Amino acid sequence: MAHLYKELQPVDAYTIGLPHPFSDYDRQLLTLFYQPLIGPDALSLFMTLWADGEQGNAITYNHYHLMNILTMPLGRVFEARISLEAIGLLRTRRKKEGDVREFIYELLPPLDAKAFFSDPLLSTFLFSKIGEQAYRNLRGHFALDQGSDDGYEDVSRTFMDVYKPVPQSFSEEMLNENFQGRNEPKPVPFVESSFDFDLLKAGLSEQMVPQATLTAVSKETIAKLAFLYSLTPLDMQKVVMMALDEDLQLPEERLRKAATEFYKMNVSKEPPVLRKVYEQEQPMQQVELKTRDDELVHYLEHTPPIDMLRDINGKEPLPVDVELAERLIHTHGLSIGVVNVLLQYVHLRNDGKITNKYVERIASHWMNKKIETVRAAMEISRQEHDQYIKWKNEGQKAPTRRKSGREERVPDWFYKKEDKPEKREQPKKSSTTDFNVEEERRKLMKELGITRDEVN
């Protein structure tokens, strides 16, 4: 953070711009929506600037003031400031004359609940911070009440029902005066220039995706989705194709859903996490893989099905196989690792053919058996192998017999290999031929000078 400190010194002066007073609704949004994203430091800075700004815009402070009130070092104050800037709650302007710097901090209102949940960056970021249940509760709390059929009729009068215009003489200058209005909430400051839209368009033919369809979605939305899910323009081409409806239209909601599904299928079922660029990433704890079986389980648990199919095929898998894996994960709720075990078993056992009905029948069996882990899936595959062969033959019109001498192809993990501990040499038991108790007793008594009579 040393390079960040050069941008700010405790003696630097600042004034606060508060174009309009904030409401209690804004406070709720800041506390419930924005605080999980920006953290308590940034929220404390915003609330402090809010309170100071209500005293008047003419007051000038220096940053010692913030350091004392917030009880933070300058570095944390600066981090809190740029967090507010990045989330769209603060606009900072600077004037520099020699070594003297002056800032104007203009507070911006938060997005309302509808706009917040419509933003893919903010809504996904909040979901990853507070979890699914809290996220659903928050959406339900701020959802508009559509009204209930309680028998009441709206009889409110309109403006024209109550007022009518009366001709009056007035000066035209009255119409030309400028007034300061409410500073409307603005979206998160986001620059989409880093996304290659030309490459995106180049891979989409006019027949499949008309230009008018693609331009109906804002570039900012496309760039935000690509940034959030780490998608390349080639990935976004596939997302666009997934999102098209039957009329070759591209609704924004379908595009967002398609991007989410593509991410879950190819990257992770867990939502993406946004991390500040100046935060040092915590080193991941290395998993100790002691045996080859552990390595295989780790591979199956952490490899997207599309990559697993690519590995065993040696080439790009067919879309029908990828769609089957996606359906097993998202529709039926099987984990990535369990789906990998199932597809690998069927692929190798069925000579490279993945039959949907065959796979889904085994998947249904596993769901009934509550198979949730890779090891459990591997174990049940070994135990129920004969039953699965029977199901396979039932689905074939003319099952062919396996030629004698042909080796049956099954996954490496099918034949369970257990490392048996080395046998330790057990000490040989003494026998009467090797050790004579009475003889040894007689020798010991002789060495001690004890006679048999003394013992008796």
Side-chain angles (χ1 to χ4, degrees):
M1 291 294 293
H3 63 287
L4 295 178
Y5 293 142
K6 296 179 182 178
E7 299 193 20
L8 189 65
Q9 294 295 331
V11 296
D12 292 340
Y14 70 90
T15 55
I16 303 170
L18 198 62
H20 69 278
F22 289 88
S23 65
D24 185 64
Y25 179 67
D26 293 324
R27 180 188 57 78
Q28 292 185 49
L29 295 172
L30 289 168
T31 304
L32 300 177
F33 286 67
Y34 284 84
Q35 183 174 215
L37 310 185
I38 60 179
D41 286 358
L43 182 64
S44 297
L45 175 59
F46 188 95
M47 303 300 280
T48 300
L49 295 176
W50 179 358
D52 287 340
E54 288 181 328
Q55 299 180 30
N57 295 335
I59 301 178
T60 300
Y61 303 90
N62 60 35
H63 286 79
Y64 279 117
H65 172 72
L66 288 177
M67 294 168 64
N68 291 332
I69 289 184
L70 299 173
T71 62
M72 296 181 190
L74 185 64
R76 284 176 59 188
V77 173
F78 183 81
E79 290 180 12
R81 193 195 88 184
I82 64 177
S83 295
L84 294 175
E85 295 168 354
I87 210 71
L89 294 176
L90 181 68
R91 180 184 294 112
T92 301
R93 291 185 288 164
R94 182 182 67 183
K95 181 173 67 174
K96 187 174 182 181
E97 296 179 358
D99 295 333
V100 179
R101 287 178 296 196
E102 295 181 2
F103 295 86
I104 296 179
Y105 293 146
E106 181 181 352
L107 298 183
L108 304 176
L111 296 177
D112 60 22
K114 180 180 179 181
F116 188 97
F117 285 118
S118 299
D119 189 288
L121 283 181
L122 295 179
S123 57
T124 305
F125 193 10
L126 181 64
F127 182 92
S128 67
K129 286 289 186 180
I130 66 176
E132 181 178 357
Q133 188 58 48
Y135 183 84
R136 290 181 179 275
N137 293 340
L138 201 57
R139 283 185 67 102
H141 177 71
F142 282 88
L144 290 176
D145 185 3
Q146 301 298 325
S148 57
D149 188 11
D150 52 6
Y152 286 88
E153 178 186 0
D154 186 358
V155 294
S156 304
R157 265 60 172 182
T158 65
F159 184 87
M160 291 183 292
D161 292 334
V162 179
Y163 298 97
K164 65 178 182 179
V166 177
Q168 294 278 353
S169 62
F170 60 91
S171 173
E172 292 184 1
E173 295 179 357
M174 298 172 60
L175 300 177
N176 298 327
E177 294 181 359
N178 295 322
F179 296 92
Q180 180 177 355
R182 175 183 170 92
N183 191 1
E184 293 299 327
K186 296 182 179 180
V188 176
F190 186 85
V191 180
E192 67 269 8
S193 58
S194 59
F195 185 80
D196 193 343
F197 287 95
D198 293 333
L199 181 58
L200 171 65
K201 295 177 181 178
L204 299 173
S205 64
E206 178 68 22
Q207 291 77 14
M208 294 298 296
V209 184
Q211 288 295 322
T213 297
L214 194 60
T215 55
V217 180
S218 67
K219 288 186 175 182
E220 182 180 3
T221 298
I222 296 175
K224 279 184 177 181
L225 291 173
F227 169 79
L228 177 64
Y229 296 113
S230 301
L231 303 180
T232 66
L234 299 180
D235 294 332
M236 285 302 298
Q237 292 174 6
K238 300 175 183 177
V239 171
V240 170
M241 295 298 295
M242 291 169 57
L244 286 175
D245 60 16
E246 58 276 6
D247 298 324
L248 294 183
Q249 298 300 314
L250 193 63
E252 184 173 316
E253 190 63 30
R254 285 178 62 94
L255 183 65
R256 291 177 57 184
K257 183 178 180 181
T260 303
E261 296 297 323
F262 186 88
Y263 172 84
K264 289 181 179 179
M265 182 65 194
N266 295 276
V267 183
S268 172
K269 291 185 69 175
E270 299 298 325
V273 177
L274 299 178
R275 181 180 289 108
K276 296 177 181 178
V277 295
Y278 52 80
E279 284 183 350
Q280 294 196 359
E281 188 172 353
Q282 296 295 329
M284 295 182 62
Q285 185 177 359
Q286 297 294 330
V287 179
E288 185 178 0
L289 305 177
K290 297 181 179 180
T291 65
R292 186 174 180 276
D293 194 50
D294 291 339
E295 293 178 357
L296 179 60
V297 170
H298 186 270
Y299 167 80
L300 293 171
E301 287 177 340
H302 296 86
T303 303
I306 187 172
D307 291 339
M308 189 276 299
L309 292 172
R310 189 181 292 120
D311 290 343
I312 60 177
N313 276 319
K315 57 185 178 181
E316 197 69 21
L318 293 175
V320 64
D321 295 338
V322 177
E323 291 173 3
L324 173 61
E326 180 180 357
R327 189 164 64 252
L328 291 174
I329 293 172
H330 301 306
T331 303
H332 301 294
L334 295 178
S335 69
I336 290 177
V338 171
V339 171
N340 280 335
V341 173
L342 174 55
L343 294 179
Q344 190 179 100
Y345 171 78
V346 173
H347 180 276
L348 295 178
R349 180 62 188 81
N350 206 22
D351 197 22
K353 293 178 289 186
I354 299 179
T355 309
N356 284 16
K357 291 184 178 179
Y358 182 37
V359 171
E360 289 173 347
R361 189 167 186 180
I362 299 177
S364 176
H365 180 228
W366 288 7
M367 290 169 61
N368 293 334
K369 291 287 187 178
K370 308 296 183 183
I371 301 300
E372 299 178 351
T373 65
V374 168
R375 294 186 186 275
M378 292 164 62
E379 186 61 31
I380 197 173
S381 297
R382 301 185 188 107
Q383 295 175 357
E384 303 290 342
H385 176 63
D386 293 339
Q387 179 63 50
Y388 297 161
I389 298 301
K390 180 180 177 182
W391 289 348
K392 174 196 168 191
N393 293 334
E394 288 175 358
Q396 296 178 345
K397 294 181 180 179
T400 58
R401 295 181 180 179
R402 184 167 54 88
K403 295 180 181 180
S404 60
R406 177 182 173 185
E407 184 180 357
E408 182 182 11
R409 293 188 64 205
V410 291
D412 294 340
W413 47 261
F414 183 81
Y415 297 111
K416 191 172 184 180
K417 300 176 182 179
E418 297 180 352
D419 298 330
K420 297 181 179 180
E422 296 181 0
K423 294 183 179 179
R424 296 182 180 179
E425 293 186 2
Q426 299 293 335
K428 295 181 180 180
K429 294 183 178 180
S430 300
S431 62
T432 54
T433 58
D434 297 332
F435 184 79
N436 192 312
V437 177
E438 187 63 23
E439 180 66 20
E440 290 297 321
R441 182 171 178 271
R442 186 185 62 79
K443 290 180 180 180
L444 180 60
M445 290 173 62
K446 184 177 179 181
E447 291 176 359
L448 297 175
I450 301 174
T451 65
R452 186 177 295 274
D453 294 335
E454 292 175 346
V455 175
N456 297 331

